[in-house]
Amino acid sequence: MVLVLSFLVLYSKKLNMSICFQFFWFFKNMKLFERIRYISTTQGIPLYRIAEYLGESPSKFNQWLNEKSQKNIWEHLPKIIELFPNIRREWLYMGDEPMLKDGSTSSEPSHIAAAPEQRLATEDQMIQLERENAQLRELLEAKNELLASKDKIIALHEENKRLAESVSAVVTPTETRRDNPQHATSDKPASGATDCGV
C-alpha cells in the first residue's frame, strides 16, 4: 500500500489525479472474488487449478466468483493461503495492503508461483491415487461378495446332494411291494417261512 501511494504521489503530476484515486479505490475495495481472480492472474495459476486444489469442480468454483455467491469461498480461504504462501492473509480476507508478504503489491507473478504448480501436480497425483484406491476397494468388495456367493453355492450344492441321498434312502411301502415279487399279491411278510408251519 505504501509503495502504491508513493508511486501515486511521485507521478501524480504526470497522471490525472482522478485516475490515481480510482486505482487506489479499486485496489482497496476489491471484493473477495475479485481478489481470488487477481491472485490467479498475478500468480500464474489458472482458476480451474485452484478449484481442483480446493476439491471443487471448476464450473462450481467459477459460479462462486461473483458478488452474490462469493460467500461460498470463505471456507476455502485457509487452503488458498496454503496454496499461495506468499499472499498475506489480511489481504486475502479483508483487502488490507500489501498483497504479498514481501510487502509488494506488484501484479507481476511472484517468485513463489512455481511452488503452487508443484503442489498442484502433487495434489493431482494424490487425487489420482485416491481414485485408484477407491476403485481397488470396490474391486476387493466385489471379490469378497463373489467368494461369499461361491461359498453359498457350494453349501447349497452339498445340501441338495444330502437331500437327494436321503430321499433315495427313504422307500415307501408301495415301492417295496413293487421291488419284492413275493409281496406283489400277498400282504404276508417275506420271512422265508412256508405256509405249512415247519
Side-chain angles (χ1 to χ4, degrees):
M1 183 68 164
V2 173
L3 292 172
V4 172
L5 288 175
S6 300
F7 172 79
L8 292 175
V9 169
L10 289 173
Y11 295 100
S12 62
K13 293 179 182 175
K14 294 181 180 179
L15 297 173
N16 184 340
M17 285 303 287
S18 64
I19 294 173
C20 294
F21 178 75
Q22 287 173 357
F23 177 77
F24 172 74
W25 183 87
F26 171 76
F27 213 70
K28 178 68 177 160
N29 293 310
M30 248 191 232
K31 305 284 186 218
L32 174 62
F33 76 94
E34 292 170 326
R35 291 193 295 273
I36 301 292
R37 287 185 185 278
Y38 190 75
I39 288 172
S40 172
T41 303
T42 60
Q43 302 301 302
I45 307 293
L47 288 171
Y48 78 91
R49 299 288 297 212
I50 297 173
E52 290 172 354
Y53 183 78
L54 300 176
E56 298 293 344
S57 72
S59 60
K60 184 177 183 182
F61 184 68
N62 200 38
Q63 290 172 358
W64 293 347
L65 295 176
N66 64 59
E67 193 164 357
K68 290 183 180 180
S69 301
Q70 68 181 349
K71 63 181 179 283
N72 296 305
I73 302 172
W74 280 96
E75 67 182 83
H76 297 291
L77 292 183
K79 284 199 84 166
I80 292 174
I81 290 291
E82 181 182 299
L83 180 61
F84 299 102
N86 59 327
I87 301 291
R88 288 181 62 244
R89 182 182 309 275
E90 295 82 3
W91 181 83
L92 181 61
Y93 280 74
M94 307 308 272
D96 294 339
E97 294 296 335
M99 174 181 146
L100 302 177
K101 288 183 178 176
D102 65 7
S104 70
T105 56
S106 171
S107 62
E108 294 299 317
S110 168
H111 62 282
I112 306 178
E117 277 297 332
Q118 291 170 347
R119 263 189 239 115
L120 287 172
T122 304
E123 184 73 18
D124 287 345
Q125 291 170 347
M126 288 185 67
I127 289 170
Q128 182 63 28
L129 287 173
E130 286 174 3
R131 285 182 190 146
E132 291 174 6
N133 195 15
Q135 290 173 346
L136 288 173
R137 273 193 300 252
E138 289 173 9
L139 288 172
L140 185 60
E141 287 176 20
K143 176 191 165 203
N144 289 339
E145 288 176 13
L146 285 173
L147 288 174
S149 297
K150 175 188 160 199
D151 291 342
K152 286 179 184 177
I153 289 170
I154 290 172
L156 288 171
H157 180 69
E158 292 297 323
E159 179 69 15
N160 190 23
K161 187 177 174 183
R162 189 183 59 75
L163 288 172
E165 289 172 358
S166 66
V167 166
S168 67
V170 174
V171 179
T172 59
T174 55
E175 291 176 45
T176 304
R177 290 183 184 157
R178 265 188 259 130
D179 294 341
N180 189 344
Q182 184 180 2
H183 289 265
T185 57
S186 169
D187 287 332
K188 293 181 184 175
S191 63
T194 60
D195 287 334
C196 57
V198 179

